[in-house]
């Protein structure tokens, strides 16, 4: 799966995007976040406040309880504000 990071999530992880093999037990966005947190200290720091992170699967905004299904891309970004 292609994983993309934006804004401070990208800064903490240290890369803009990466491709990972998603383990079979990772079924939801929340599972994916938990898996990413376990990869290393940078990922753990990026997802420390995971409830604040917004997610898109294949460019569609979803909640963290959404199933990954056969999504090809997950994007993680901080909350957006309008003005």
């Amino acid at each position: 799966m292609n994983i993309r990071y934006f804004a401070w999530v990208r800064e903490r992880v240290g890369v803009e995007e990466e491709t990972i093999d998603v383990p079979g037990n990772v079924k939801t966005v929340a599972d994916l976040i938990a898996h990413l947190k376990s990869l290393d200290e940078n990922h753990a720091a990026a997802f420390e406040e995971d409830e604040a992170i917004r997610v898109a699967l294949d460019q569609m905004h979803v909640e963290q309880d959404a199933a990954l299904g056969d999504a090809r891309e997950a994007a993680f970004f901080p909350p957006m504000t309008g003005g």
Side-chain angles (χ1 to χ4, degrees), residues 32-47:
L32 180 58
I33 290 171
H35 174 69
L36 292 170
K37 284 171 124 175
S38 74
L39 295 179
D40 59 40
E41 291 179 8
N42 291 347
H43 287 82
F47 292 98

Side-chain angles (χ1 to χ4, degrees), residues 8-78:
W8 57 257
V9 181
R10 177 187 63 231
E11 291 170 11
R12 292 178 186 177
V13 170
V15 296
E16 185 173 319
E17 67 182 273
E18 60 188 336
T19 301
I20 66 163
D21 291 323
V22 178
N25 64 330
V26 174
K27 304 291 186 193
T28 67
V29 171
D31 294 342
L32 180 58
I33 290 171
H35 174 69
L36 292 170
K37 284 171 124 175
S38 74
L39 295 179
D40 59 40
E41 291 179 8
N42 291 347
H43 287 82
F47 292 98
E48 185 174 50
E49 298 176 44
D50 56 9
E51 68 281 349
I53 294 177
R54 300 294 175 239
V55 184
L57 292 177
D58 292 337
Q59 300 182 4
M60 298 285 294
H61 291 270
V62 297
E63 297 297 323
Q64 291 189 16
D65 62 353
L68 294 179
D70 54 359
R72 298 167 133 207
E73 177 185 84
F76 297 95
F77 46 90

